[in-house]
Amino acid sequence: MSVKLSAMPNDRLGSWIMNSRKAYEQSRRKAGDSAEVAAEKARTSFETSFPEGSPALGHRVYDIVATETESAAQVVGFLWIAPLAEGSDAWWVFDIAVDEYHRGAGYGRAAMQLAEKAASENGAATLGLNVFGYNTVARGLYDSLGYETTAVQMRKTV
């Protein structure tokens, strides 16, 4: 089985934006933000990244496509990468997910390796990401791919 990235078709992009924004807001809440702060961060992020419902300059949203044969391809997840700022050589994985049914089969690892290649081919010198502390499976994957921790936020309920 092989994996490739394919630009997400426009007819699915709008619903993906809405679902990704909701998921980001939920992740922020799970990580400790209040409902109001999480909603505002999600709104600001997505309005900046997808003005008028289209990706901002440099933003790329891909389907993660698994293929057994040329005629048997299926979308197993998505990936969103972009430069941190217009013209920057520091790129970011803004979102990646493999559908629950397909997790554990190596698609996330393959997609991250393809993300590194795509970013590099578009002028990136680095590729970074944020992973919430509760997401231990993703943290393990990124560690195994050679991503280095650049900051750690911590808190304690008092």
Side-chain angles (χ1 to χ4, degrees):
M1 172 141 347
S2 66
V3 177
K4 68 179 183 175
L5 299 179
S6 179
M8 184 177 286
N10 286 335
D11 65 342
R12 288 193 309 107
L13 189 61
S15 63
W16 174 83
I17 291 170
M18 183 175 56
N19 291 334
S20 186
R21 179 178 165 173
K22 284 180 188 175
Y24 178 60
E25 184 176 334
Q26 290 171 346
S27 289
R28 297 234 40 118
R29 290 182 69 183
K30 190 172 180 179
D33 285 351
S34 69
E36 297 78 20
V37 168
E40 179 60 18
K41 286 182 178 180
R43 183 192 65 75
T44 302
S45 176
F46 278 79
E47 285 180 1
T48 301
S49 299
F50 299 96
E52 298 179 27
S54 295
L57 184 65
H59 287 249
R60 289 159 173 79
V61 179
Y62 298 105
D63 283 329
I64 302 169
V65 181
T67 57
E68 288 186 33
T69 65
E70 286 300 314
S71 62
Q74 79 180 91
V75 174
V76 297
F78 63 82
L79 169 74
W80 166 24
I81 61 173
L84 275 172
E86 190 175 327
S88 173
D89 69 354
W91 278 53
W92 200 254
V93 176
F94 284 90
D95 202 359
I96 182 172
V98 172
D99 299 335
E100 190 171 345
Y101 177 76
H102 297 289
R103 291 181 188 157
Y107 299 127
R109 173 176 301 281
M112 286 299 298
Q113 291 167 332
L114 292 168
E116 293 167 10
K117 182 178 181 200
S120 177
E121 289 172 350
N122 285 282
T126 62
L127 184 63
L129 54 85
N130 178 72
V131 58
F132 290 105
Y134 64 81
N135 195 344
T136 55
V137 172
R139 290 174 59 196
L141 170 64
Y142 304 138
D143 283 343
S144 75
L145 286 168
Y147 285 79
E148 299 172 352
T149 301
T150 59
V152 175
Q153 294 181 344
M154 300 174 78
R155 76 164 179 228
K156 179 180 178 181
T157 302
V158 294

